[in-house]
Amino acid sequence: MLKSKIYKISGVLILIGLLTGGIWYWQMPNRHKAIVKSFLFEKLGIVDKEWKVANRSETYKMISPEFYIDGIYKSMEGPKSSNYVQLSQDSTLLWLTGFHVKALAAKSLKTVSKDFICHTNVDFNDVKYYSSFHLEKRIGTQYPRLTSLSHGMENFSFPKGYGVPMKGNELLYVTTESLNHNLPEANFWIRHEVDIDYSKAKNLKPLMSRTAFIMLPYDKSNPYKQPTDPGTNQCIPVETKNHSYDDGKGNKLSGHWVIPVGKNTYRSDVNEQLQLQDSLRLHAAAIHVHPFATRISLFDKTTHQAIFNSKITNHIGKTGITGIEPFSSEVGIWLYKNHKYEIVLEVNNTTSENQDMMGSMFLFFYDKELDELLQKN
C-alpha cells in the first residue's frame, strides 16, 4: 500500500513537472526555444554537435553542427553554434582577407538556399590582439567584433592590397545562426559552412574595424506604446533586454526596432561610434540590415553628401534579401574628425503588419599607426 502511494505521488509530481515545463517552454520567445531544443538534441545524441574543420592553404573552412529548422525563425531567433578558430600554431603574421558562409543540407552537404543564413559573427580577443601589436590604448574602446556576415551579404572580401593582420595562433570566435522567414511547416536539418580567407603576404596594408549602427530613442516608461509621435524621432523596440543602450543622459536607445507598414526613413548620428581622433581613409564596409530595408547610406552631414550608398534588393513574393551592395575601394574615401556623420536607412514594409529592423555597418579604415609599427618589425 505504501509503495502504491509513493508511485501515485511520484506520478502526480512528474505530471505537474511536465505541465509546468510545457507551459514555461511555450511562453518562451523563439530564440530561447531554439536554445532549449539545441541543448536537448545535443544531450540526447540526436544531433551531430561537432564542428568539422579543414585548414587548407590560405582558407580556413569549417562546417557547423546540425541545425533543426522546424518553423519560422526571424532574425536572431534560430538555432546557432559557436567555434574558436586558430589559423596557425605559431605567431606568424597572417592577413584576414575575406569571409564567406553558405547553408548546406545536413547529410549530403549540398548547398541549399541562403535564406537559412542569419548571422555569422567573427569576434576577436581585443586584449590579446592589441597587446600583441603594443596598442594597449585601444583595448575596450569598441565591442570586439571584427565583422559579421548576414542574410543578403553572405560573402565579403577586402579590396586588393588590404587585410586585417593578426598573429596566426591568436583566436577568433565565430558564431553562426540559422534563419527561416518563409516555411512555417519546415521540418529538416541544415548546417552552415564558414570560410575565412587569409594571406601570408608581407606587402598588404592593415585595416582596422569600426562598428556603427542606428540607435533610436524609445520611451523607457512605456516602450511599446503605439503609434509613436513622429516629432519625437522615437521608435518601438522589439524588446528592451537586447540591443538596448543608454545615451549617457538617462535616455534609452534601441538598435532593434519595429517598422510600420509602408515607406520610412531612419537616421542616427554615429560620430561617437566612429571615434574619429584624426582623419581616416575608409576602404570597405560590410552591411547588416533586415528584410524590407531598401537602401542604407553613410552620410556626411557637414558636406551634405553620402560617403557611400548601399542598395538592398529584396525577394519578390516572399520575405528575404536577395542581395546587399557592399562598399569596397582600393583608393578609399576620407572621413574627417571635424565632420558630422550619420547612417540613413530607407525601408519599405510591403506586408500588412509590423516588421523588425536593424541597420549596421562594419567599417574598415586604413590603420596608419599599425602600418608604421609593422614596418619597424
Side-chain angles (χ1 to χ4, degrees):
M1 192 67 170
L2 182 59
K3 285 185 178 180
S4 177
K5 286 185 178 180
I6 292 174
Y7 291 150
K8 288 181 180 179
I9 293 171
S10 298
V12 171
L13 291 175
I14 291 171
L15 181 60
I16 291 172
L18 290 173
L19 288 172
T20 303
I23 293 170
W24 170 74
Y25 174 81
W26 289 112
Q27 288 180 339
M28 284 182 170
N30 262 8
R31 72 172 67 186
H32 294 153
K33 287 180 182 177
I35 292 171
V36 171
K37 281 184 283 192
S38 296
F39 175 79
L40 289 175
F41 290 152
E42 288 183 8
K43 293 302 180 183
L44 295 173
I46 296 173
V47 64
D48 179 1
K49 65 179 181 179
E50 301 300 325
W51 285 77
K52 304 179 188 301
V53 174
N55 192 358
R56 301 171 183 172
S57 177
E58 301 200 333
T59 299
Y60 190 101
K61 185 184 297 290
M62 52 187 174
I63 297 176
S64 76
E66 296 169 324
F67 299 140
Y68 181 43
I69 308 300
D70 62 337
I72 297 297
Y73 289 107
K74 300 180 73 172
S75 183
M76 297 179 291
E77 290 184 349
K80 60 184 178 180
S81 185
S82 301
N83 191 40
Y84 284 100
V85 172
Q86 190 175 46
L87 299 178
S88 72
Q89 299 301 309
D90 56 43
S91 60
T92 301
L93 185 68
L94 301 175
W95 297 83
L96 303 176
T97 57
F99 308 89
H100 315 275
V101 60
K102 59 184 178 181
L104 308 174
K107 301 305 179 185
S108 69
L109 301 185
K110 291 182 178 179
T111 303
V112 296
S113 173
K114 66 180 185 179
D115 287 354
F116 303 123
I117 298 169
C118 185
H119 293 71
T120 300
N121 297 327
V122 182
D123 298 336
F124 65 102
N125 185 319
D126 65 337
V127 175
K128 290 186 176 180
Y129 181 83
Y130 291 128
S131 295
S132 69
F133 293 120
H134 307 292
L135 294 170
E136 287 84 358
K137 63 184 179 181
R138 297 188 185 181
I139 295 172
T141 57
Q142 279 215 339
Y143 187 81
R145 175 151 297 157
L146 179 62
T147 192
S148 182
L149 301 171
S150 60
H151 183 43
M153 184 171 281
E154 298 83 13
N155 299 280
F156 176 72
S157 296
F158 299 124
K160 183 179 179 180
Y162 291 87
V164 173
M166 69 175 295
K167 304 295 177 66
N169 57 359
E170 291 185 9
L171 295 175
L172 295 171
Y173 189 62
V174 175
T175 300
T176 190
E177 185 171 18
S178 54
L179 181 75
N180 177 31
H181 279 299
N182 298 295
L183 302 175
E185 304 302 322
N187 180 27
F188 51 85
W189 300 80
I190 65 164
R191 298 177 187 263
H192 287 171
E193 178 185 305
V194 181
D195 294 355
I196 300 176
D197 298 332
Y198 64 94
S199 173
K200 299 178 181 179
K202 300 183 182 299
N203 59 344
L204 299 186
K205 293 292 185 181
L207 296 171
M208 71 171 96
S209 176
R210 298 277 172 87
T211 304
F213 54 94
I214 289 181
M215 295 186 293
L216 300 173
Y218 65 87
D219 184 349
K220 62 182 179 182
S221 61
N222 194 2
Y224 304 115
K225 179 184 177 182
Q226 297 191 51
T228 58
D229 180 356
T232 62
N233 190 39
Q234 287 192 334
C235 75
I236 298 170
V238 171
E239 58 174 306
T240 58
K241 294 181 179 179
N242 296 291
H243 304 286
S244 188
Y245 311 92
D246 192 296
D247 68 353
K249 302 176 183 177
N251 301 310
K252 286 295 185 179
L253 307 170
S254 180
H256 188 198
W257 71 98
V258 172
I259 61 170
V261 174
K263 295 182 178 181
N264 281 282
T265 300
Y266 301 93
R267 298 173 177 268
S268 179
D269 183 278
V270 293
N271 273 66
E272 187 172 337
Q273 297 174 48
L274 292 177
Q275 299 178 8
L276 295 177
Q277 304 300 318
D278 200 352
S279 301
L280 289 177
R281 196 170 71 230
L282 179 67
H283 286 277
I287 307 298
H288 169 65
V289 294
H290 289 186
F292 309 109
T294 57
R295 182 184 296 272
I296 191 168
S297 307
L298 180 62
F299 193 80
D300 187 331
K301 295 172 67 176
T302 304
T303 63
H304 303 288
Q305 293 181 329
I307 303 299
F308 70 85
N309 293 301
S310 178
K311 182 181 178 181
I312 300 121
T313 304
N314 284 263
H315 293 340
I316 297 174
K318 63 177 183 177
T319 300
I321 299 177
T322 306
I324 300 172
E325 185 179 12
F327 169 77
S328 179
S329 170
E330 291 184 39
V331 176
I333 299 176
W334 285 98
L335 273 67
Y336 303 99
K337 178 183 177 181
N338 61 342
H339 284 208
K340 300 293 184 183
Y341 298 96
E342 66 179 356
I343 292 177
V344 181
L345 176 67
E346 299 173 21
V347 306
N348 183 16
N349 180 0
T350 55
T351 71
S352 59
E353 58 187 23
N354 290 345
Q355 300 291 339
D356 63 293
M357 184 56 61
M358 298 182 80
S360 306
M361 297 178 175
F362 297 89
L363 304 169
F364 294 90
F365 298 91
Y366 166 61
D367 194 336
K368 180 181 178 182
E369 182 181 17
L370 181 52
D371 199 6
E372 291 174 349
L373 290 171
L374 294 175
Q375 296 291 342
K376 293 177 182 179
N377 296 332

